Amino acid sequence: MSRRSAGEGTISQTPNGRWIVRIELPRGPDGRRRRTLRRARTKAEAVRILRDLRSELSDTGQTSDGRRTISEAVAAYGDVLARSERARSTVDSHAWMLGLIDHALGWKRVSDLAVADCDDFLAAAADGLRPGARKIGPDHLRRVRSKLVAVIDNEVRLGTVGRNVAAQSYRPKQVPRRRRAARRRALSRDELRRFIAASSGATLVAVDLIGRNGLRPAEARGLTWDAVDLVAQVMLVETQMDSDDDPADVKTDESFRRIRIDSTTAARLTEWRSQQSVLRARHASRWTERCLVVSTRYGTAINRNNFVRSVARLSAHADIGDPIVPYELRHTAISHQADAGRSSWEIADWAGTSERMISDTYRHQLRDISDLTPADEVDRDGPPRG
């Protein structure tokens, strides 16, 4: 009986009812025969595994490592991210997605992963994976799928699997949730005055920088005294706080800007700097010198979540209706600039964003009534005015 050549395989059943798949591999560098073995619960599954192994061998000249798990694949991809140029920001921003994949699929072997498994995982993730867990929206689900594809792509690169089944998966249909930005509102001038009057300390400074000067909340929390010139009344926006409350560069080149501050803001900053000097002397043993404009009593950065809660509490004290989030203060500043008649390019340059963002995102219900009348009323009333 002649020996089987590479690519040929057999299926056999064991006494306990399980099925064994064996396939011949190309001879190694030493000329010795090689083969791989897989186990299956049913004959149909064994036939599928044999077909997939033959396909992998034909396409790549090798077969996957049958013992390697998705959890190991996730760890290997995490190591790749850690060695990349943007190691810290990349790993931190995608850690939750890798954790989600590891939690749901980590026990499964890479060689056993099928398209149906990926589809089931994405459908479960869209519903929150566990009862009571937060559902994942369309945008984040797209990122989760991309990350799963990247994890398996890395396995293809390493040669542990022959093809990427995740790339053939589909995201489940979802009803897009209304974007939070679409529900954001701008405070009226009277509401903003009441909001500022209800604020104090570092929160007051942050509210002024965001609600009157248009800084992003992360930019306000990352502003340093080195970037503020109280004599010339200008400040340079070049840093912001990341998700770990560490300083980082601003989002884009457009965000990097120098803006003029008015006398009211300059007076608040001068007073707050004096208060910081008192706090520095009072808490000398615990003071952390980070040169931050908006800081805690110990000189550290104000936590993002704590700031969100502070703004929500101030909403009630200022009697402005529903609680707002810090970013709505930026919407307020930009909307007031538009109401003052500033052009979209002037506002975009001042706020560190694009003209399209000004027109599409930062327009709120603070405009005067338009002189335009419905088209079916034009003929009845005569020619349009103007």
Side-chain angles (χ1 to χ4, degrees), residues 70-124:
I70 298 294
S71 183
E72 293 173 318
V74 169
Y77 181 72
D79 292 340
V80 172
L81 290 183
R83 294 193 298 268
S84 66
E85 294 181 1
R86 301 169 57 189
R88 181 180 179 84
S89 61
T90 305
V91 173
D92 289 348
S93 61
H94 296 310
W96 71 272
M97 289 183 285
L98 295 178
L100 201 66
I101 296 169
D102 193 5
H103 170 77
L105 298 172
W107 59 274
K108 200 170 188 66
R109 292 180 177 179
V110 177
S111 59
D112 294 338
L113 187 68
V115 177
D117 296 323
C118 301
D119 289 341
D120 292 343
F121 160 66
L122 294 173

Side-chain angles (χ1 to χ4, degrees), residues 97 101 118-119 121-122 139-151 165-172:
M97 289 183 285
I101 296 169
C118 301
D119 289 341
F121 160 66
L122 294 173
D139 291 341
H140 283 106
L141 192 64
R142 174 182 54 79
R143 295 176 61 195
V144 169
R145 180 187 177 275
S146 298
K147 197 53 56 183
L148 177 61
V149 172
V151 168
V165 296
Q168 301 171 11
S169 63
Y170 288 99
R171 287 186 293 121

Side-chain angles (χ1 to χ4, degrees), residues 50-290:
L50 178 59
R51 182 175 62 248
D52 291 344
L53 288 173
R54 285 172 172 169
S55 177
E56 286 186 51
L57 192 60
S58 174
D59 294 342
T60 66
Q62 60 189 355
T63 59
S64 58
D65 183 353
R67 293 169 296 181
R68 189 173 176 86
T69 63
I70 298 294
S71 183
E72 293 173 318
V74 169
Y77 181 72
D79 292 340
V80 172
L81 290 183
R83 294 193 298 268
S84 66
E85 294 181 1
R86 301 169 57 189
R88 181 180 179 84
S89 61
T90 305
V91 173
D92 289 348
S93 61
H94 296 310
W96 71 272
M97 289 183 285
L98 295 178
L100 201 66
I101 296 169
D102 193 5
H103 170 77
L105 298 172
W107 59 274
K108 200 170 188 66
R109 292 180 177 179
V110 177
S111 59
D112 294 338
L113 187 68
V115 177
D117 296 323
C118 301
D119 289 341
D120 292 343
F121 160 66
L122 294 173
D127 291 332
L129 283 181
R130 299 181 300 274
R134 182 179 179 183
K135 295 184 178 181
I136 298 179
D139 291 341
H140 283 106
L141 192 64
R142 174 182 54 79
R143 295 176 61 195
V144 169
R145 180 187 177 275
S146 298
K147 197 53 56 183
L148 177 61
V149 172
V151 168
I152 307 302
D153 263 342
N154 187 56
E155 292 301 297
V156 174
R157 180 182 67 85
L158 296 175
T160 60
V161 71
R163 61 193 180 97
N164 191 344
V165 296
Q168 301 171 11
S169 63
Y170 288 99
R171 287 186 293 121
K173 279 191 174 182
Q174 295 176 280
V175 178
R177 295 182 299 179
R178 290 185 64 191
R179 292 182 180 273
R180 181 69 182 92
R183 301 197 302 270
R184 285 177 177 152
R185 63 190 177 99
L187 303 181
S188 67
R189 287 176 174 80
D190 183 59
E191 288 175 330
L192 180 60
R193 280 194 292 268
R194 296 203 304 271
F195 198 94
I196 290 176
S199 308
S200 62
T203 304
L204 171 60
V205 175
V207 168
D208 187 288
L209 292 173
I210 303 169
R212 298 186 67 251
N213 294 274
L215 270 65
R216 297 176 177 86
E219 293 172 345
R221 294 190 303 115
L223 186 67
T224 61
W225 287 113
D226 296 336
V228 179
D229 188 341
L230 293 176
V231 177
Q233 294 190 359
V234 295
M235 60 181 167
L236 179 64
V237 183
E238 57 182 348
T239 59
Q240 64 178 10
M241 284 296 175
D242 62 15
S243 58
D244 292 327
D245 291 333
D246 291 325
D249 292 338
V250 288
K251 292 173 59 176
T252 63
D253 291 340
E254 293 175 337
S255 302
F256 183 87
R257 61 199 186 279
R258 179 181 281 105
I259 61 176
R260 184 167 298 281
I261 55 180
D262 63 5
S263 56
T264 301
T265 299
R268 286 199 176 105
L269 290 174
T270 302
E271 181 182 359
W272 171 241
R273 194 166 194 176
S274 299
Q275 293 181 33
Q276 271 191 337
S277 300
V278 175
L279 293 173
R280 184 185 294 105
R282 182 182 302 169
H283 305 286
S285 60
R286 300 183 60 182
W287 183 267
T288 302
E289 187 57 65
R290 298 184 63 179

